[in-house]
Amino acid sequence: MGRSAAVSPDPAAPRGRFVTLEGGEGAGKSTQIEALARLAERGGREVVTCREPGGTALGEALRSALFAERDPAPAPAAELLIFAAARAQLVADVIRPALARGALVLCDRYADSTLAYQHHGRGLDREAVRAVNAVATDGLWPDLTILLDLDPKDGFARGERGGDYLERETLAFHRRVRDGFLRLAADEPTRWLVLDATKPPMQITHAAWQRIESLLAP
Ligand code: TMP
């Protein structure tokens, strides 16, 4: 079989946009994703929503395995690699194909969660987490990341603390995660939009939508 010629990307091909939502427990990411998807669909655009870990058959199976009741909790390195495996499948099966069709992809958590939870929260080595993220994302990073910033105390008070082993982590752990997200946002201010998650949901949707609209503008 002959070697196929390199295919350069078609400049006329639609270019999708990739937006992720990040934040601690109870910050309201799923409510915002639903509202933002409705707004984007009104504009006639294909919208693909997904969540991490999950969004594929393998990813949902990994999610169930990870959050199944067990004692002891997963080893930190196992946890890191399970999130990464779920992400790799989601990127390959869902996110890249959707972007190639020109869709807007709205994803509830992505690789920044791994840096915030597994590096800042758990204390795993930053370069190791970055290397795993590079493999899992295949180099695909969001055009925009919206951080719904919330004091973990307020997140827990919202009653969404469903009880899996990560949600039951100490307040100190969740504080490190929050600080981690804020640091990541400060390091890359053009990619991140930080919103105060204590504000009324409609106000948050409005601010997020303004940024997404400008991203969608031709
Ligand atoms: P969620 O569906 O409530 O957002 O639950 C996912 C949980 O998994 C949440 O506690 C954050 C955690 N998580 C990580 O620790 N690392 C990751 O890379 C991802 C995607 C999630």
Side-chain angles (χ1 to χ4, degrees):
M1 215 162 64
R3 196 158 62 91
S4 55
V7 182
S8 46
D10 174 3
R15 192 164 98 66
R17 294 290 187 278
F18 182 25
V19 176
T20 57
L21 271 82
E22 297 283 4
E25 319 295 323
K29 291 181 282 87
S30 43
T31 309
Q32 289 302 326
I33 285 193
E34 274 173 36
L36 293 167
R38 272 198 302 273
L39 285 170
E41 275 161 358
R42 259 194 235 157
R45 186 174 267 267
E46 184 194 357
V47 182
V48 172
T49 60
C50 46
R51 69 164 179 180
E52 278 216 15
T56 65
L58 177 62
E60 293 296 334
L62 290 169
R63 182 185 184 98
S64 303
L66 185 65
F67 292 119
E69 257 332 296
R70 75 163 68 72
D71 194 14
E79 180 184 69
L80 168 72
L81 295 170
I82 288 172
F83 284 122
R87 179 165 311 130
Q89 198 67 39
L90 187 68
V91 168
D93 286 3
V94 177
I95 302 177
R96 277 208 192 272
L99 293 175
R101 293 194 303 272
L104 169 68
V105 178
L106 295 172
C107 194
D108 185 338
R109 300 196 183 280
Y110 193 61
D112 295 297
S113 271
T114 314
L115 281 161
Y117 281 81
Q118 278 65 54
H119 166 57
H120 291 280
R122 277 292 173 241
L124 290 180
D125 177 70
R126 188 174 63 160
E127 292 318 309
V129 174
R130 283 191 195 281
V132 168
N133 267 348
V135 174
T137 60
D138 186 27
L140 179 71
W141 281 85
D143 298 295
L144 169 67
T145 298
I146 298 167
L147 173 60
L148 300 184
D149 177 50
L150 188 65
D151 186 320
K153 256 195 341 297
D154 297 336
F156 293 155
R158 288 181 174 190
E160 288 178 27
R161 206 174 178 188
D164 67 55
Y165 76 96
L166 269 165
E167 288 166 348
R168 288 196 302 269
E169 271 291 347
T170 60
L171 194 55
F173 172 88
H174 287 287
R175 289 211 161 111
R176 291 196 296 278
V177 170
R178 182 200 193 186
D179 289 347
F181 276 130
L182 289 170
R183 276 204 232 173
L184 291 167
D187 285 348
E188 268 185 281
T190 52
R191 174 164 70 90
W192 289 76
L193 171 66
V194 181
L195 297 175
D196 177 352
T198 63
K199 292 275 188 280
M202 274 174 64
Q203 206 172 308
I204 296 173
T205 307
H206 180 72
W209 178 243
Q210 279 193 318
R211 276 294 286 273
I212 294 175
E213 252 190 329
S214 63
L215 198 65
L216 296 176

